Amino acid sequence: MSRVVMKFGGTSVADLDRIRNAAQRVKKEVDAGNEVAVVVSAMAGVTNQLVDYVQKAGSLYDLREYDSVVASGEQVTSGLLAIVLQEMGINARSWLGWQARIITNGAHGSARIERIEVDEIVRRFGEGQVAVFAGFQGVGPDGRISTLGRGGSDTSAVAIAAALKADRCDIYTDVDGIYTTDPRIVAKARKMDKITYEEMLELASQGAKVLQTRSVEMAMKHGVRVQVLSSFEDKPGTLVVDEDEIVEQAIVSGIAYNRDEAKVTLRKVTDTPGVAASIFGPLTDAAINVDMIVQNISADKKTTDMTFTVSKAELKRAIQVLENNAGLKYESLDSDPSVAKISVIGVGMRSHAGVAQKMFSALAEKGINIEVISTSEIKISVLVAEEYTELAVRSLHTAYGLDAED
Ligand code: ADP
Ligand code: ASP
Ligand code: MG
């Protein structure tokens, strides 16, 4: 007997037929004698619709009310799946975040799970009951519904798997595994049998939305065995594992893109000690995340140009913060939301030279200009004009020898 967590994403519960399909998969695990916890997302498109309602209802909306609205999609699917399972003769009940005591911090809109009280769930496993959790939600210290950020049902699943000490955490989705890049934009993307936690963490944080970044962080920390697989086809997916489980490691294992960032340039900022702090301090105070940063020294050594990226959603606020900062002297402020960040990722980079050079020359060959560069131990990211996103990803996929054979 194993204890398994099964998570179904939005397209896997998009209508009643798909919920029945998910229920069949649950039944298989139950019939095999396993203890089963299920985590569901809202039906595909529902969360977007709910977010849209909130944004249209008020511009400076209360995040606690946002959470109350956007968490509702998962309430529907968890109840429906429990009903369908009961129809099939399976003992099942739904659990909302607050009922399951999924305790988060107070950061409404992108809360972090702090702990989960699973005693009651485990007791009910003993009675043969399947637990169907509404993903994406918990309860904050204020006793109000919280949500975990977009794509957060993955994190719900991994957190529940960790709390239950589950043997497996299976993430059922609309692709049959983790690919070398998004298979929806590169037809030659290759499915991987295994990927390391670290590489998946970089892929996710650089934009591959197949797993939410926090879910990978949590899986890595608690050693949760995560598998990404198709809810529509019966075949093995991709396992996320420790580095020592991978025999042959490619230098570059994946490519990610992110169209959610915007570029901001401050021209001719007075170049004195503390200038960076005076730009980024107020942005941090306003809870605006800055990602890539470059600073150019100008010829006169008195002024400098500073370029950085923030998320598109926060661009307006970032500009406001900078413009309201009377102490900051600069000539002009430009912003450009039409950019994309392209990242190549691989643990093999640690021990191989020339990886960056290959990236730069592959992009140059296609006439793609690089606007900003940033690197980490196992990742190189560049910012390019948004219109080149697909061309850049495809060219790099070929340049690093990742294309699947026909
Ligand atoms: P779900 O609703 O099941 O959570 P998501 O839409 O959040 O599904 O994530 C699955 C999607 O992630 C796929 O449809 C695919 O387009 C995208 N994706 C991006 N990068 C990758 C990758 N490297 N491998 C697999 N899928 C990827
Ligand atoms: N329904 C939520 C979203 O669309 C959570 C999830 O699907 O993981 O972001
Ligand atoms: Mg998702």
Side-chain angles (χ1 to χ4, degrees), residues 7 9-11 172-175 177-179 181-184 208-210:
K7 180 256 175 177
T11 41
Y172 288 88
T173 184
D174 57 0
V175 284
I178 300 164
Y179 281 71
T181 192
D182 188 345
R184 302 208 185 283
K209 67 174 183 164
V210 61

PDB file of all heavy atoms in Angstrom, residues 7 9-11 172-175 177-179 181-184 208-210, ligand 1:
ATOM      1  N   LYS A   7      -2.630  15.461  -8.351  1.00  0.00           N
ATOM      2  CA  LYS A   7      -3.108  16.824  -8.600  1.00  0.00           C
ATOM      3  C   LYS A   7      -3.588  16.945 -10.040  1.00  0.00           C
ATOM      4  O   LYS A   7      -2.893  16.525 -10.971  1.00  0.00           O
ATOM      5  CB  LYS A   7      -1.989  17.829  -8.323  1.00  0.00           C
ATOM      6  CG  LYS A   7      -2.395  19.285  -8.559  1.00  0.00           C
ATOM      7  CD  LYS A   7      -1.843  19.830  -9.851  1.00  0.00           C
ATOM      8  CE  LYS A   7      -2.325  21.219 -10.173  1.00  0.00           C
ATOM      9  NZ  LYS A   7      -1.716  21.755 -11.418  1.00  0.00           N
ATOM     10  N   GLY A   9      -4.750  19.648 -12.928  1.00  0.00           N
ATOM     11  CA  GLY A   9      -4.752  21.062 -13.314  1.00  0.00           C
ATOM     12  C   GLY A   9      -6.038  21.444 -14.043  1.00  0.00           C
ATOM     13  O   GLY A   9      -6.916  20.598 -14.280  1.00  0.00           O
ATOM     14  N   GLY A  10      -6.118  22.723 -14.399  1.00  0.00           N
ATOM     15  CA  GLY A  10      -7.347  23.290 -14.957  1.00  0.00           C
ATOM     16  C   GLY A  10      -7.914  22.569 -16.173  1.00  0.00           C
ATOM     17  O   GLY A  10      -9.130  22.321 -16.240  1.00  0.00           O
ATOM     18  N   THR A  11      -7.048  22.197 -17.132  1.00  0.00           N
ATOM     19  CA  THR A  11      -7.589  21.531 -18.330  1.00  0.00           C
ATOM     20  C   THR A  11      -8.030  20.101 -18.006  1.00  0.00           C
ATOM     21  O   THR A  11      -8.858  19.542 -18.716  1.00  0.00           O
ATOM     22  CB  THR A  11      -6.542  21.477 -19.463  1.00  0.00           C
ATOM     23  OG1 THR A  11      -5.290  21.164 -18.887  1.00  0.00           O
ATOM     24  CG2 THR A  11      -6.450  22.790 -20.208  1.00  0.00           C
ATOM     25  N   TYR A 172      -0.975  15.723 -12.654  1.00  0.00           N
ATOM     26  CA  TYR A 172      -1.607  15.422 -13.946  1.00  0.00           C
ATOM     27  C   TYR A 172      -1.922  16.721 -14.670  1.00  0.00           C
ATOM     28  O   TYR A 172      -2.529  17.625 -14.105  1.00  0.00           O
ATOM     29  CB  TYR A 172      -2.901  14.630 -13.731  1.00  0.00           C
ATOM     30  CG  TYR A 172      -2.661  13.212 -13.283  1.00  0.00           C
ATOM     31  CD1 TYR A 172      -2.538  12.895 -11.929  1.00  0.00           C
ATOM     32  CD2 TYR A 172      -2.525  12.194 -14.220  1.00  0.00           C
ATOM     33  CE1 TYR A 172      -2.306  11.590 -11.522  1.00  0.00           C
ATOM     34  CE2 TYR A 172      -2.290  10.888 -13.824  1.00  0.00           C
ATOM     35  CZ  TYR A 172      -2.177  10.590 -12.474  1.00  0.00           C
ATOM     36  OH  TYR A 172      -1.950   9.302 -12.081  1.00  0.00           O
ATOM     37  N   THR A 173      -1.502  16.802 -15.939  1.00  0.00           N
ATOM     38  CA  THR A 173      -1.707  18.044 -16.679  1.00  0.00           C
ATOM     39  C   THR A 173      -1.999  17.767 -18.153  1.00  0.00           C
ATOM     40  O   THR A 173      -2.326  16.638 -18.522  1.00  0.00           O
ATOM     41  CB  THR A 173      -0.487  18.982 -16.459  1.00  0.00           C
ATOM     42  OG1 THR A 173      -0.742  20.230 -17.104  1.00  0.00           O
ATOM     43  CG2 THR A 173       0.798  18.378 -16.983  1.00  0.00           C
ATOM     44  N   ASP A 174      -1.902  18.829 -18.985  1.00  0.00           N
ATOM     45  CA  ASP A 174      -2.273  18.676 -20.399  1.00  0.00           C
ATOM     46  C   ASP A 174      -1.084  18.364 -21.302  1.00  0.00           C
ATOM     47  O   ASP A 174      -1.214  18.338 -22.515  1.00  0.00           O
ATOM     48  CB  ASP A 174      -3.017  19.929 -20.891  1.00  0.00           C
ATOM     49  CG  ASP A 174      -2.201  21.193 -20.710  1.00  0.00           C
ATOM     50  OD1 ASP A 174      -1.057  21.113 -20.207  1.00  0.00           O
ATOM     51  OD2 ASP A 174      -2.702  22.281 -21.063  1.00  0.00           O
ATOM     52  N   VAL A 175       0.107  18.183 -20.723  1.00  0.00           N
ATOM     53  CA  VAL A 175       1.251  17.664 -21.484  1.00  0.00           C
ATOM     54  C   VAL A 175       1.705  16.392 -20.763  1.00  0.00           C
ATOM     55  O   VAL A 175       1.372  16.202 -19.598  1.00  0.00           O
ATOM     56  CB  VAL A 175       2.426  18.688 -21.577  1.00  0.00           C
ATOM     57  CG1 VAL A 175       2.128  19.777 -22.585  1.00  0.00           C
ATOM     58  CG2 VAL A 175       2.749  19.298 -20.217  1.00  0.00           C
ATOM     59  N   GLY A 177       4.593  15.395 -19.766  1.00  0.00           N
ATOM     60  CA  GLY A 177       5.806  15.434 -18.963  1.00  0.00           C
ATOM     61  C   GLY A 177       6.487  16.777 -19.090  1.00  0.00           C
ATOM     62  O   GLY A 177       5.928  17.719 -19.661  1.00  0.00           O
ATOM     63  N   ILE A 178       7.698  16.849 -18.549  1.00  0.00           N
ATOM     64  CA  ILE A 178       8.483  18.079 -18.642  1.00  0.00           C
ATOM     65  C   ILE A 178       9.385  17.957 -19.870  1.00  0.00           C
ATOM     66  O   ILE A 178      10.063  16.945 -20.045  1.00  0.00           O
ATOM     67  CB  ILE A 178       9.306  18.286 -17.356  1.00  0.00           C
ATOM     68  CG1 ILE A 178       8.355  18.399 -16.148  1.00  0.00           C
ATOM     69  CG2 ILE A 178      10.194  19.526 -17.466  1.00  0.00           C
ATOM     70  CD1 ILE A 178       9.028  18.219 -14.800  1.00  0.00           C
ATOM     71  N   TYR A 179       9.355  18.958 -20.694  1.00  0.00           N
ATOM     72  CA  TYR A 179      10.105  18.954 -21.948  1.00  0.00           C
ATOM     73  C   TYR A 179      11.310  19.885 -21.853  1.00  0.00           C
ATOM     74  O   TYR A 179      11.401  20.727 -20.957  1.00  0.00           O
ATOM     75  CB  TYR A 179       9.195  19.402 -23.100  1.00  0.00           C
ATOM     76  CG  TYR A 179       8.271  18.315 -23.595  1.00  0.00           C
ATOM     77  CD1 TYR A 179       7.197  17.872 -22.830  1.00  0.00           C
ATOM     78  CD2 TYR A 179       8.483  17.717 -24.831  1.00  0.00           C
ATOM     79  CE1 TYR A 179       6.360  16.866 -23.281  1.00  0.00           C
ATOM     80  CE2 TYR A 179       7.638  16.715 -25.301  1.00  0.00           C
ATOM     81  CZ  TYR A 179       6.580  16.286 -24.520  1.00  0.00           C
ATOM     82  OH  TYR A 179       5.768  15.298 -24.976  1.00  0.00           O
ATOM     83  N   THR A 181      11.830  22.324 -23.630  1.00  0.00           N
ATOM     84  CA  THR A 181      11.251  23.664 -23.616  1.00  0.00           C
ATOM     85  C   THR A 181       9.751  23.501 -23.834  1.00  0.00           C
ATOM     86  O   THR A 181       9.272  22.382 -24.032  1.00  0.00           O
ATOM     87  CB  THR A 181      11.898  24.588 -24.669  1.00  0.00           C
ATOM     88  OG1 THR A 181      11.475  25.936 -24.405  1.00  0.00           O
ATOM     89  CG2 THR A 181      11.501  24.208 -26.092  1.00  0.00           C
ATOM     90  N   ASP A 182       9.013  24.602 -23.790  1.00  0.00           N
ATOM     91  CA  ASP A 182       7.560  24.513 -23.924  1.00  0.00           C
ATOM     92  C   ASP A 182       7.173  23.826 -25.243  1.00  0.00           C
ATOM     93  O   ASP A 182       7.412  24.366 -26.317  1.00  0.00           O
ATOM     94  CB  ASP A 182       6.972  25.936 -23.877  1.00  0.00           C
ATOM     95  CG  ASP A 182       5.459  25.922 -23.813  1.00  0.00           C
ATOM     96  OD1 ASP A 182       4.855  24.862 -24.087  1.00  0.00           O
ATOM     97  OD2 ASP A 182       4.882  26.981 -23.500  1.00  0.00           O
ATOM     98  N   PRO A 183       6.592  22.628 -25.169  1.00  0.00           N
ATOM     99  CA  PRO A 183       6.261  21.903 -26.403  1.00  0.00           C
ATOM    100  C   PRO A 183       5.212  22.628 -27.247  1.00  0.00           C
ATOM    101  O   PRO A 183       5.027  22.299 -28.415  1.00  0.00           O
ATOM    102  CB  PRO A 183       5.730  20.555 -25.903  1.00  0.00           C
ATOM    103  CG  PRO A 183       5.336  20.784 -24.485  1.00  0.00           C
ATOM    104  CD  PRO A 183       6.213  21.892 -23.964  1.00  0.00           C
ATOM    105  N   ARG A 184       4.542  23.608 -26.665  1.00  0.00           N
ATOM    106  CA  ARG A 184       3.548  24.347 -27.448  1.00  0.00           C
ATOM    107  C   ARG A 184       4.183  25.369 -28.379  1.00  0.00           C
ATOM    108  O   ARG A 184       3.538  25.845 -29.294  1.00  0.00           O
ATOM    109  CB  ARG A 184       2.552  25.059 -26.527  1.00  0.00           C
ATOM    110  CG  ARG A 184       1.841  24.098 -25.624  1.00  0.00           C
ATOM    111  CD  ARG A 184       0.467  24.552 -25.213  1.00  0.00           C
ATOM    112  NE  ARG A 184      -0.073  23.610 -24.254  1.00  0.00           N
ATOM    113  CZ  ARG A 184      -0.573  22.432 -24.579  1.00  0.00           C
ATOM    114  NH1 ARG A 184      -0.668  22.078 -25.837  1.00  0.00           N
ATOM    115  NH2 ARG A 184      -1.011  21.602 -23.637  1.00  0.00           N
ATOM    116  N   ALA A 208       8.756  28.615 -17.166  1.00  0.00           N
ATOM    117  CA  ALA A 208       8.086  27.379 -17.605  1.00  0.00           C
ATOM    118  C   ALA A 208       6.977  27.052 -16.614  1.00  0.00           C
ATOM    119  O   ALA A 208       7.254  26.584 -15.516  1.00  0.00           O
ATOM    120  CB  ALA A 208       9.086  26.228 -17.660  1.00  0.00           C
ATOM    121  N   LYS A 209       5.746  27.314 -16.969  1.00  0.00           N
ATOM    122  CA  LYS A 209       4.709  27.257 -15.930  1.00  0.00           C
ATOM    123  C   LYS A 209       4.191  25.850 -15.640  1.00  0.00           C
ATOM    124  O   LYS A 209       3.233  25.685 -14.891  1.00  0.00           O
ATOM    125  CB  LYS A 209       3.561  28.183 -16.299  1.00  0.00           C
ATOM    126  CG  LYS A 209       2.788  27.757 -17.521  1.00  0.00           C
ATOM    127  CD  LYS A 209       1.581  28.645 -17.713  1.00  0.00           C
ATOM    128  CE  LYS A 209       0.791  28.148 -18.896  1.00  0.00           C
ATOM    129  NZ  LYS A 209      -0.541  28.673 -18.951  1.00  0.00           N
ATOM    130  N   VAL A 210       4.864  24.843 -16.186  1.00  0.00           N
ATOM    131  CA  VAL A 210       4.407  23.469 -15.954  1.00  0.00           C
ATOM    132  C   VAL A 210       4.370  23.113 -14.461  1.00  0.00           C
ATOM    133  O   VAL A 210       3.520  22.332 -14.022  1.00  0.00           O
ATOM    134  CB  VAL A 210       5.220  22.465 -16.817  1.00  0.00           C
ATOM    135  CG1 VAL A 210       6.702  22.495 -16.493  1.00  0.00           C
ATOM    136  CG2 VAL A 210       4.677  21.064 -16.717  1.00  0.00           C
TER     137      VAL A 210
HETATM  138  P1  ADP B   1      -2.223  22.960 -15.343  1.00  0.00           P
HETATM  139  O1  ADP B   1      -3.465  23.719 -15.633  1.00  0.00           O
HETATM  140  O2  ADP B   1      -2.376  21.484 -15.491  1.00  0.00           O
HETATM  141  O3  ADP B   1      -1.577  23.360 -14.062  1.00  0.00           O
HETATM  142  P2  ADP B   1      -0.343  24.624 -16.786  1.00  0.00           P
HETATM  143  O4  ADP B   1      -0.925  25.328 -17.968  1.00  0.00           O
HETATM  144  O5  ADP B   1      -0.163  25.408 -15.545  1.00  0.00           O
HETATM  145  O6  ADP B   1      -1.205  23.321 -16.532  1.00  0.00           O
HETATM  146  O7  ADP B   1       1.076  23.985 -17.174  1.00  0.00           O
HETATM  147  C1  ADP B   1       1.181  23.133 -18.295  1.00  0.00           C
HETATM  148  C2  ADP B   1       1.716  23.923 -19.481  1.00  0.00           C
HETATM  149  O8  ADP B   1       3.066  24.314 -19.231  1.00  0.00           O
HETATM  150  C3  ADP B   1       1.796  23.145 -20.781  1.00  0.00           C
HETATM  151  O9  ADP B   1       0.582  23.169 -21.475  1.00  0.00           O
HETATM  152  C4  ADP B   1       2.939  23.834 -21.534  1.00  0.00           C
HETATM  153  O10 ADP B   1       2.464  24.706 -22.537  1.00  0.00           O
HETATM  154  C5  ADP B   1       3.636  24.681 -20.468  1.00  0.00           C
HETATM  155  N1  ADP B   1       5.080  24.472 -20.427  1.00  0.00           N
HETATM  156  C6  ADP B   1       6.008  25.477 -20.425  1.00  0.00           C
HETATM  157  N2  ADP B   1       7.240  24.983 -20.417  1.00  0.00           N
HETATM  158  C7  ADP B   1       7.133  23.636 -20.394  1.00  0.00           C
HETATM  159  C8  ADP B   1       8.085  22.566 -20.372  1.00  0.00           C
HETATM  160  N3  ADP B   1       9.404  22.798 -20.343  1.00  0.00           N
HETATM  161  N4  ADP B   1       7.603  21.293 -20.372  1.00  0.00           N
HETATM  162  C9  ADP B   1       6.287  21.045 -20.374  1.00  0.00           C
HETATM  163  N5  ADP B   1       5.337  22.012 -20.401  1.00  0.00           N
HETATM  164  C10 ADP B   1       5.743  23.303 -20.407  1.00  0.00           C
END
